[in-house]
């Protein structure tokens, strides 16, 4: 009986030491930048019941996978190493909030959130915009994970401006689906204005989208259009230009020295057959081009 | 697209200890500084009103009948004065449309004496000073005078463009049309504001 007890004690100690070695050796390998060896050791430790419930195991596993991500998959938008690292840091963080590892976990998750943010920022083009959208959502989700009260208002504005612009570019390229993509562009700019009605870019861009829409209709108009059709077309055009006007006026109010808005208002008023106001803005452009201040009197709101 | 680097701290593990390291964070500032696109994206400035006027004028050629001695040769539209946009639109129209199989001739003239046997003479508002002389020149001829200023249909133009509710309409002086031996169809009459 006494003999069996000593054997059991020996086995227990051996297992503990081997297990402890897995973790400490993994950290040692990490410090020596032996990442593949570190991964092997930490994966084994994570399956060891002696270390399964220790935040340190998941914390270091997260770190090892993060370094592997940086070494092997930093440019891979679907990196599995990154996903696993996030998973391990999150696990360590949730196991024991306030542990010595918490701050490191938070910073690591913040780091990964920023990698998704960067990924989004570099994907705003007609081909990759779905990556921009999903990456931005992931950025927000990860940020909320460590800061549930995070305020994304400003970031959402930037995102919606960028995606609105992207859909506008797509509409220009893909003429077969121009209407659908232009509608999406409008939708995103309107989202910006619902968060910040004084946003210059959203106001200006909406004004120009509607103005250009009217111009495109005119450009495509058949010279043989009959009188009834022409009258109907004029009704439609007037509504489009009238829709454009308040956005451009707002952009002008926000920045009266912006040449683009002066050109926009000149064009919109001209297309609405308001020659007097169109001439007023033409004069302001000339004043601006001459190096002077555009006259402030008689703004379009008056 | 512009990226503004922003510094963010993360903690990484080194051989000795955790230290701060910089991570460059990109920001989405694409649209803040500059608008995405401008009216200039349309290419050369588009005069929407000129195109609409050109379509009106083409309709006039369909719904007005010129006398027999105006039925041969090209159908001539002259612009008396400066209106490059309308000239361009009418020229574009002349490439794809005809009047009863007759091609258009579009010309810019700067004096009423150059009207000749034009079918239509368009006088831009910036050249109203010559309307009187033009009317005298076309007396006894079947030339349709088109103006674009308030009151000019009453002053002798057969058709005068007006703006109503921000849209282009036209006035028709029937008696002037008759004086010039121009037959106006009821379709055109019904769309016009009649003046006498």
């Amino acid at each position: 009986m006494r003999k069996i007890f000593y054997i059991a004690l020996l086995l227990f100690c051996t297992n503990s030491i081997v297990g402890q070695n897995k973790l400490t050796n993994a950290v040692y390998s990490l410090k020596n930048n032996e990442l593949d060896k570190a991964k092997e050791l930490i994966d084994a430790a994570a399956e060891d019941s002696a270390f399964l419930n220790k935040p340190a195991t998941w914390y270091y596993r997260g770190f090892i996978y993060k370094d592997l991500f940086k070494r092997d998959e930093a440019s891979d938008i679907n990196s599995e190493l990154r996903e696993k690292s996030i998973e391990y840091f999150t696990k360590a963080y949730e196991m024991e909030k306030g542990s010595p590892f918490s701050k490191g976990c938070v910073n690591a998750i913040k780091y990964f959130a920023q990698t998704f943010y960067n990924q989004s920022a570099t994907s705003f083009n007609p081909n990759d915009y779905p990556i921009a959208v999903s990456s931005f959502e992931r950025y927000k989700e990860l940020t909320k994970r460590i800061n549930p009260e995070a305020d994304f208002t400003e970031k959402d504005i930037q995102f919606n401006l960028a995606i609105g612009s992207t859909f506008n570019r797509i509409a220009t390229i893909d003429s077969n689906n121009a209407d659908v993509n232009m509608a999406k562009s409008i939708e995103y700019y309107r989202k910006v204005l619902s968060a910040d009605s004084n946003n210059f870019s959203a106001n200006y861009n909406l004004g120009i989208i509607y103005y250009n829409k009217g111009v495109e209709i005119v450009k495509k108009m058949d010279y043989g259009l009959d009188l009834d059709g022409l009258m109907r077309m004029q009704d439609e055009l007037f509504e489009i230009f009238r829709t454009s006007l308040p956005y451009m006026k707002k952009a002008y109010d926000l920045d009266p020295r912006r040449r683009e808005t002066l050109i926009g208002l000149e064009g919109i008023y001209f297309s609405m057959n308001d020659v007097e106001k169109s001439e007023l803005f033409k004069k302001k452009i000339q004043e601006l081009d001459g190096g002077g201040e555009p006259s402030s009197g008689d703004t379009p709101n008056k | 697209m512009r990226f503004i680097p922003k510094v963010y701290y993360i903690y990484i593990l080194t051989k000795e200890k955790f230290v701060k390291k910089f991570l460059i964070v990109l920001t989405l500032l694409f649209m803040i500084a500059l608008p995405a696109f401008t009216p200039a994206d349309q290419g050369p400035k588009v005069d929407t009103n000129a195109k609409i006027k050109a379509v009106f004028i083409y309709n006039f050629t369909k719904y007005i009948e010129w006398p027999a001695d105006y039925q041969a040769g090209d159908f001539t539209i002259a612009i008396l004065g400066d209106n490059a946009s309308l000239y361009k639109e009418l020229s574009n129209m002349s490439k794809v449309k005809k009047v009863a199989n007759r091609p258009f001739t579009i010309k810019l003239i700067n004096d009423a004496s150059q009207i000749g046997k034009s079918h239509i003479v368009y006088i831009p508002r910036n050249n109203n000073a010559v309307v009187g002389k033009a009317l005298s020149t076309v007396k006894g001829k079947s030339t349709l005078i088109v103006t674009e200023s308030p009151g000019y249909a009453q002053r002798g133009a057969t058709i005068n463009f007006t703006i109503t509710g921000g849209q282009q309409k036209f006035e028709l002086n029937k008696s002037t049309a008759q004086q010039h031996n121009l037959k106006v169809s009821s379709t055109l009459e019904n769309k016009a504001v009649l003046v006498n």
Side-chain angles (χ1 to χ4, degrees):
Chain A
M1 192 66 191
R2 196 179 170 90
K3 196 175 176 182
I4 292 171
F5 171 77
Y6 283 120
I7 291 169
L9 183 64
L10 180 64
L11 278 174
F12 175 79
C13 292
T14 305
N15 280 343
S16 295
I17 290 163
V18 170
Q20 187 65 52
N21 282 345
K22 281 176 194 163
L23 182 57
T24 52
N25 288 345
V27 175
Y28 184 76
S29 296
L30 174 62
K31 281 182 178 178
N32 288 325
N33 208 27
E34 297 166 343
L35 294 177
D36 296 314
K37 191 175 170 190
K39 177 180 178 292
E40 215 173 281
L41 289 163
I42 201 70
D43 285 348
E47 287 182 9
D48 190 324
S49 58
F51 297 95
L52 201 58
N53 296 319
K54 291 185 183 298
T57 308
W58 300 100
Y59 177 72
Y60 286 116
R61 199 179 190 194
F63 252 111
I64 290 162
Y65 275 74
K66 181 161 83 69
D67 279 1
L68 284 166
F69 157 72
K70 286 162 74 178
R71 188 191 71 181
D72 299 337
E73 295 181 357
S75 57
D76 180 357
I77 57 168
N78 297 312
S79 168
E80 279 188 30
L81 289 168
R82 175 168 59 176
E83 289 306 323
K84 284 183 176 170
S85 181
I86 291 167
E87 180 191 331
Y88 303 148
F89 277 120
T90 303
K91 191 164 184 170
Y93 178 64
E94 286 172 353
M95 271 177 145
E96 194 181 329
K97 285 181 185 168
S99 77
F101 303 110
S102 287
K103 193 174 178 183
C105 290
V106 165
N107 283 314
I109 293 169
K110 213 180 266 183
Y111 164 84
F112 283 120
Q114 291 295 349
T115 65
F116 280 105
Y117 186 83
N118 289 354
Q119 198 166 287
S120 177
T122 53
S123 302
F124 282 100
N125 61 65
N127 294 324
D128 297 332
Y129 75 88
I131 295 167
V133 175
S134 60
S135 299
F136 187 72
E137 286 309 313
R138 196 74 210 285
Y139 154 75
K140 286 169 74 174
E141 185 260 315
L142 288 175
T143 303
K144 276 187 210 163
R145 197 177 285 188
I146 49 173
N147 179 13
E149 306 302 319
D151 179 8
F152 296 105
T153 307
E154 199 51 46
K155 288 278 195 291
D156 280 338
I157 287 173
Q158 291 172 4
F159 171 80
N160 286 325
L161 283 172
I163 197 76
S165 170
T166 304
F167 274 113
N168 183 63
R169 279 157 60 201
I170 295 170
T172 310
I173 296 164
D174 180 7
S175 55
N176 290 334
N177 298 302
D179 288 347
V180 175
N181 289 311
M182 203 55 90
K184 284 182 184 169
S185 182
I186 289 169
E187 180 190 331
Y188 282 107
Y189 287 134
R190 285 196 170 146
K191 278 185 187 177
V192 174
L193 292 185
S194 65
D196 174 15
S197 61
N198 288 327
N199 186 283
F200 173 85
S201 295
N203 277 298
Y204 173 80
N205 288 337
L206 279 169
I208 285 296
I209 283 178
Y210 284 112
Y211 173 72
N212 286 349
K213 187 179 176 185
V215 169
E216 278 304 309
I217 289 172
V218 173
K219 281 167 82 176
K220 288 176 186 165
M221 190 190 293
D222 190 316
Y223 289 104
L225 188 65
D226 64 22
L227 287 170
D228 283 329
L230 183 55
M231 297 302 184
R232 279 197 301 273
M233 186 73 85
Q234 283 203 91
D235 288 341
E236 186 188 346
L237 286 169
F238 189 76
E239 277 312 304
I240 291 169
F241 291 127
R242 192 161 68 174
T243 306
S244 146
L245 188 58
Y247 296 113
M248 196 59 81
K249 276 163 74 174
K250 181 78 178 181
Y252 171 77
D253 289 341
L254 290 165
D255 190 352
R257 284 186 54 80
R258 207 65 179 247
R259 196 171 190 278
E260 296 93 336
T261 56
L262 299 177
I263 294 171
L265 282 170
E266 182 204 356
I268 293 166
Y269 280 122
F270 184 82
S271 297
M272 293 174 78
N273 289 294
D274 191 336
V275 176
E276 196 183 329
K277 282 187 179 161
S278 177
E279 287 296 320
L280 175 79
F281 283 97
K282 194 175 178 181
K283 192 177 155 210
K284 285 177 188 287
I285 295 165
Q286 287 164 352
E287 286 168 357
L288 193 68
D289 290 346
E293 285 284 324
S295 50
S296 56
D298 203 7
T299 67
N301 291 327
K302 288 177 182 172
Chain B
M1 222 182 274
R2 295 191 326 145
F3 300 115
I4 307 296
K6 179 181 166 188
V7 173
Y8 210 96
Y9 293 117
I10 60 160
Y11 285 83
I12 65 153
L13 186 64
T14 70
K15 286 180 182 176
E16 303 301 326
K17 56 181 180 178
F18 290 107
V19 296
K20 282 180 179 178
K21 193 180 179 184
F22 297 121
L23 167 68
I24 300 302
V25 177
L26 304 179
T27 55
L28 302 166
L29 287 178
F30 315 91
M31 303 290 299
I32 305 304
L34 284 170
F37 41 97
T38 69
D41 287 356
Q42 292 296 331
K45 190 178 173 186
V46 178
D47 183 339
T48 51
N49 295 336
K51 176 79 178 268
I52 290 168
K53 278 202 172 82
V55 177
F56 267 118
I57 289 170
Y58 184 65
N59 273 282
F60 299 157
T61 70
K62 289 194 290 185
Y63 295 115
I64 294 175
E65 190 183 328
W66 273 259
D69 56 330
Y70 275 73
Q71 298 284 354
D74 287 5
F75 190 99
T76 303
I77 301 175
I79 298 173
L80 176 51
D82 178 24
N83 192 328
S85 302
L86 184 61
Y87 177 74
K88 186 183 151 205
E89 289 297 345
L90 290 173
S91 298
N92 288 339
M93 178 190 79
S94 72
K95 290 171 193 162
V96 292
K97 297 290 176 190
K98 288 183 176 181
V99 182
N101 244 357
R102 295 159 63 198
F104 280 104
T105 291
I106 313 297
K107 58 183 186 181
L108 275 171
I109 58 175
N110 51 31
D111 191 90
S113 63
Q114 297 170 293
I115 288 174
K117 208 176 173 185
S118 297
H119 295 78
I120 297 176
V121 171
Y122 185 92
I123 307 174
R125 73 169 65 82
N126 58 15
N127 207 22
N128 279 342
V130 303
V131 171
K133 190 179 175 189
L135 289 172
S136 303
T137 305
V138 300
K139 209 165 188 178
K141 293 183 179 179
S142 293
T143 297
L144 177 77
I145 296 286
V146 180
T147 54
E148 56 172 3
S149 297
Y152 275 76
Q154 290 90 337
R155 290 193 206 177
T158 305
I159 286 180
N160 181 50
F161 280 111
T162 58
I163 303 298
T164 306
Q167 297 179 37
Q168 297 192 50
K169 311 281 182 189
F170 64 96
E171 296 170 334
L172 171 68
N173 187 329
K174 275 178 74 178
S175 66
T176 309
Q178 282 165 1
Q179 285 166 24
H180 290 283
N181 203 15
L182 299 169
K183 276 190 195 167
V184 179
S185 79
S186 56
T187 307
L188 194 64
E189 272 187 44
N190 291 338
K191 300 294 174 196
V193 176
L194 300 176
V195 298
N196 217 339

